[in-house]
Amino acid sequence: NMPEVTPICRFGRKALPFSLKGTDEQFYSLDNIKRANGILIMFICNHCPYVKGVIKRLVNDVTKIQKHDIGCVAIMSNDTEKYPEDSFDNMKIFSEKNNFTFPYLYDSTQEVAKAYGAVCTPDFFGFNKKLELQYRGRLDNAGISNEPVKNKELFEAMIQIADNDFGPKEQKPSMGCSIKWR
C-alpha cells in the first residue's frame, strides 16, 4: 500500500462551512471553531500508522498553536464499516487517550472530506483570519521515521499565518494512508 501524498497548497481557497458531531456529543461548525487568527483543520483517523506515529507530537504542537488564537479541529472521515477501529466510540477513546485539546468530529457522510479535497490521514489545512488557505503541508520533517525533529513545519507555518496572513511559499506535502472512501 503506497502512501498518499497531499497536493500542493491552493493559496487563497476559502474554508467551507460544515456542521459535525464531536466526540463530546456537541455539534461544531466552521464559525464556532475559527478564532481571531484563523483555523487549522486536520483530517485524521484512529487506525492509520501515520497518524499513530505522529499523534503525540501533533497534539503537543496543536496545543501550542491554539495559544496563538487559532482555532483547531480534527475530522475523521473514513468508512467505519470497513475500518471499525475508526468508529465514533473508538474516536472517543483515541481522543481521550491522546489528550486532544481540540474537537474531534465525525464526518459520517464523507461530505466534508470531499468538499475540502482531503486525500490522506493526516491531511492539514491551515487558513488565515480571512479563512483563506495558506498551508497544506506536513507536520514536521520526522513524520513516522525515527529521525529527530528539526523543522516543526505545521507549527511554524500557523504562527507565520497568525502574524502576517501568509503561509510559507515552500511547503512539503503531508504523507499518510488514503482516506477510506465508501
Side-chain angles (χ1 to χ4, degrees), residues 20 42-46 74-80 86-88 91 104-108:
L20 297 171
M42 307 170 271
F43 289 86
I44 68 166
C45 67
N46 313 325
I75 298 174
M76 205 302 295
S77 304
N78 280 350
D79 177 355
T80 56
D86 288 332
S87 73
F88 189 64
M91 286 172 60
Y104 190 20
L105 314 182
Y106 180 34
D107 178 20
S108 60

Side-chain angles (χ1 to χ4, degrees), residues 25-151:
E25 301 288 339
Q26 303 300 306
F27 277 83
Y28 291 87
S29 68
L30 180 68
D31 286 340
N32 65 21
I33 294 166
K34 70 174 195 223
R35 295 285 173 269
N37 290 326
I39 185 170
L40 169 64
I41 299 174
M42 307 170 271
F43 289 86
I44 68 166
C45 67
N46 313 325
H47 89 273
C48 162
Y50 290 89
V51 174
K52 286 178 174 169
V54 302
I55 197 67
K56 284 193 172 41
R57 297 199 314 274
L58 176 62
V59 171
N60 195 20
D61 288 358
V62 170
T63 304
K64 290 181 189 143
I65 288 167
Q66 289 173 305
K67 295 191 173 102
H68 292 261
D69 211 11
I70 296 166
C72 297
V73 62
I75 298 174
M76 205 302 295
S77 304
N78 280 350
D79 177 355
T80 56
E81 283 182 26
K82 287 200 199 87
Y83 294 85
E85 204 183 325
D86 288 332
S87 73
F88 189 64
D89 284 339
N90 284 326
M91 286 172 60
K92 292 180 181 180
I93 295 163
F94 190 74
S95 60
E96 273 170 41
K97 189 179 88 175
N98 292 294
N99 304 307
F100 282 17
T101 55
F102 44 87
Y104 190 20
L105 314 182
Y106 180 34
D107 178 20
S108 60
T109 64
Q110 305 187 317
E111 292 299 313
V112 179
K114 283 181 186 144
Y116 275 81
V119 298
C120 63
T121 53
D123 198 341
F124 303 106
F125 293 79
F127 296 89
N128 64 17
K129 57 180 73 73
K130 294 182 287 220
L131 298 181
E132 298 163 335
L133 187 64
Q134 293 295 327
Y135 191 70
R136 181 87 187 270
R138 62 188 183 180
L139 174 65
D140 56 35
N141 64 286
I144 56 170
S145 71
N146 290 320
E147 59 184 281
V149 176
K150 290 193 274 298
N151 306 314

